[in-house]
Each structure stands twice: as C-alpha cells, then as structure tokens.
Amino acid sequence: MQLKLEENGRVDGMDFVAKYFQELTTVELYEILKARAQVFVVEQRCVYQDLDDVDYGSLHIFCRSGQTVLAYLRVFPKAGEAGVVQMGRVLTTERKTGLGGRLLREGIRIVRETMGAGKIYLEAQCYAVGFYEREGFKICSGEFLEDGIPHVQMELEL
C-alpha cells in the first residue's frame, strides 16, 4: 500500500513517499540506506549495526528529489506494547529548510490515520529534543547513552 503524504504527492519539486518494506524498489532501498549511512555513520561518526531487521516490518516514509532521498523516517509497532508505534531513523540531509519538520508531521499523520495507534514512542538524540517537542512529543525518561550518543525517550499521545 503506497500512501501519498501530501495532497498531490509533490512539494517544491520533491516527492513524498510512504511504503512498506516489500513495496520498496531496490533503488529506493539503496537510497534510503545511503542516506542513513551518510547521517548516522559518517556525519555522526557512529559505528553501529544499522541493518537491524526492523526494516522488514516498518513503514518507510521519505522525501526524495529524483532518486535521492533527502529526508527519511520509519515507523513500526513497538514490541510488547499494543497500540504503540515506534518511530526511528529520523533524518534529513537538507538542514535548515523545514523539510524535516514537514516529514515528521506527515509521519505523525500517517500513523494517526492508518496504523490505529494511540501513541508514538521514539528515542531522540538530546540535541534534537526541541525538534520533536515542536510537534507535541514529551520527554518520558532520563538521559541515556545509545551508541555513545546522549538520548531521551519521548512520547506523543495521539
């Protein structure tokens, strides 16, 4: 099931796409993984196992220009918590453009309208807490380290 994120699917020459893993083309998957490696491994200098098998059961929401993925996030049912969806791997390669906020708002809308969840949970890098708070997420934990980077747990009641 491919979902349109914006009324016409295009904004400012960019396509917004939402697909489950099995629907992704090989080019889309490659571009998603390339963007994730660029941001989380290269820019943040964090060596970690990105390919964690969670992708198989995730809805992948991304913005692209041509074939290049500019912003991305994934959502999936949170293990052991009925009615809770977990959001992760939130990134943008185009900073200070508002693109990340647009993608996050659309991700929330898609979860609200299609996944039957009452809550979205995520683990935010501490520097990005304000980004999530602007969309209504609340901190629900103390600070912890994940892969050497300070994080907090956050939730959004839907």
Side-chain angles (χ1 to χ4, degrees):
M1 152 179 84
Q2 183 172 343
L3 305 169
K4 271 204 271 187
L5 297 182
E6 298 285 336
E7 187 175 313
N8 63 4
R10 284 182 74 77
V11 174
D12 302 329
M14 298 176 287
D15 291 315
F16 285 78
V17 180
K19 291 183 176 183
Y20 286 96
F21 183 83
Q22 300 84 338
E23 299 169 316
L24 294 170
T25 68
T26 54
V27 171
E28 289 168 335
L29 179 59
Y30 181 88
E31 291 296 321
I32 287 167
L33 295 175
K34 184 168 74 173
R36 285 172 24 179
Q38 175 187 335
V39 171
F40 297 122
V41 177
V42 177
E43 289 179 12
Q44 295 183 359
R45 294 185 176 105
C46 182
V47 177
Y48 76 107
Q49 182 60 46
D50 180 40
L51 302 177
D52 58 5
D53 295 328
V54 174
D55 289 317
Y56 291 122
S58 295
L59 178 62
H60 302 268
I61 302 170
F62 55 100
C63 173
R64 66 182 172 203
S65 177
Q67 293 183 353
T68 303
V69 170
L70 303 175
Y72 169 85
L73 63 81
R74 70 179 183 185
V75 291
F76 51 93
K78 186 168 185 331
E81 294 191 41
V84 180
V85 169
Q86 186 164 344
M87 182 178 283
R89 302 293 199 266
V90 180
L91 69 87
T92 180
T93 62
E94 302 285 322
R95 313 264 177 2
K96 307 285 186 205
T97 64
L99 182 57
R102 286 196 296 188
L103 186 69
L104 181 59
R105 285 188 294 280
E106 289 301 321
I108 293 167
R109 183 184 67 78
I110 293 291
V111 168
R112 191 177 271 132
E113 293 178 5
T114 67
M115 299 186 82
K119 182 187 300 182
I120 300 174
Y121 166 87
L122 58 82
E123 295 176 355
Q125 293 184 6
C126 288
Y127 82 88
V129 164
F131 171 74
Y132 295 108
E133 286 178 329
R134 282 191 291 279
E135 300 308 323
F137 282 87
K138 306 275 189 241
I139 295 172
C140 61
S141 78
E143 191 175 299
F144 63 95
L145 288 179
E146 183 167 325
D147 299 316
I149 299 171
H151 284 70
V152 291
Q153 297 173 348
M154 300 186 80
E155 294 179 339
L156 174 67
E157 297 288 336
L158 299 176

